[in-house]
Amino acid sequence: MSFDVDVRKRLGETGIACRFAVADGLTVLFAPSGAGKTSILNMIAGLLRPDAGHVRVGGETLFDATTGIDLPPERRGAGYVFQEPRLFPHLRVRANLLYGASDDTSLAETTALLGIDHLLDRWPRSLSGGEARRVAIGRALLSEPHFLLLDEPLSSLDRARREEIMALIERLRDGAGLPILLVTHDAAEAERLGTRIVTL
């Protein structure tokens, strides 16, 4: 199984519990806003420690409460694209893309795939929402991840930009060869993009 997740976490008055095991492809974690989807991604990425359970991706155990395994985020191999692009404002697009990459050998291929090769010398503040989102996805891909986590990647985008990013995610799903976990509260997005859908 690509994702084998069984996590439980208490956050104040709220309890989050999620369990699923899925094969390769793009898995959508579908639930209304406030249901804990981002917290689940953070537990998979190692940014939030579950109270109990386990996280395994591609057969590798990243967290197991029973055995005490708890790999730090930098050793989990996650390419994480947050709800906001989180680009470094003091770095041009090229430097943002290469932040965390071991070298620039895949830069041309990745920027061509994402259609952002003409943006390399631009500053983040000059990018549209869709352009910034593509740069954020490119930065995640260039870190050579074992899997991708996409947190509401279409939020705050107008219709044209949403279509642009959806088409990009479809290309990644069909050609990148990476397990992808995407969270959304939008049923149409889930139906279009998901190889399978996990509902909270």
Side-chain angles (χ1 to χ4, degrees):
M1 295 292 179
S2 284
F3 290 101
D4 178 1
V5 175
D6 180 0
V7 290
R8 294 176 292 287
K9 180 71 176 178
R10 171 68 58 178
L11 294 172
E13 298 296 313
T14 304
I16 298 171
C18 180
R19 181 173 62 188
F20 61 93
V22 294
D24 287 338
L26 190 152
T27 300
V28 172
L29 192 57
F30 175 70
S33 297
K37 301 184 299 297
T38 297
S39 295
I40 292 166
L41 283 194
N42 287 340
M43 285 188 263
I44 295 169
L47 303 177
L48 182 65
R49 191 179 196 280
D51 295 330
H54 64 258
V55 175
R56 301 184 185 104
V57 181
E60 181 181 5
T61 299
L62 309 181
F63 173 83
D64 192 312
T66 303
T67 63
I69 294 172
D70 187 9
L71 297 185
E74 65 273 14
R75 289 185 51 208
R76 294 197 178 198
Y80 198 153
V81 179
F82 298 91
Q83 286 187 32
E84 297 303 321
R86 298 192 183 185
L87 303 180
F88 298 109
H90 63 292
L91 298 177
R92 293 183 189 268
V93 166
R94 178 190 297 272
N96 265 285
L97 285 166
L98 293 174
Y99 189 87
S102 57
D103 55 49
D104 65 355
T105 54
S106 299
L107 180 63
E109 179 184 354
T110 301
T111 56
L113 170 70
L114 300 175
I116 55 174
D117 38 351
H118 63 292
L119 302 176
L120 291 177
D121 293 324
R122 298 257 301 271
W123 295 102
R125 64 180 173 272
S126 73
L127 303 177
S128 70
E131 288 170 340
R133 200 64 55 96
R134 282 187 283 158
V135 172
I137 293 170
R139 181 173 60 188
L141 290 173
L142 284 164
S143 69
E144 300 178 359
H146 299 152
F147 59 97
L148 283 178
L149 302 175
L150 306 178
D151 190 1
E152 300 273 8
L154 304 170
S155 64
S156 305
L157 297 177
D158 61 34
R159 180 174 294 184
R161 300 292 80 76
R162 285 165 63 90
E163 180 59 37
E164 169 188 300
I165 299 301
M166 269 208 274
L168 167 61
I169 292 170
E170 287 174 322
R171 289 200 304 274
L172 291 176
R173 177 195 66 199
D174 298 338
L178 289 172
I180 302 172
L181 183 61
L182 178 149
V183 303
T184 184
H185 62 271
D186 186 293
E189 289 175 20
E191 289 289 344
R192 175 170 168 179
L193 296 173
T195 307
R196 64 199 56 78
I197 300 172
V198 175
T199 303
L200 288 181

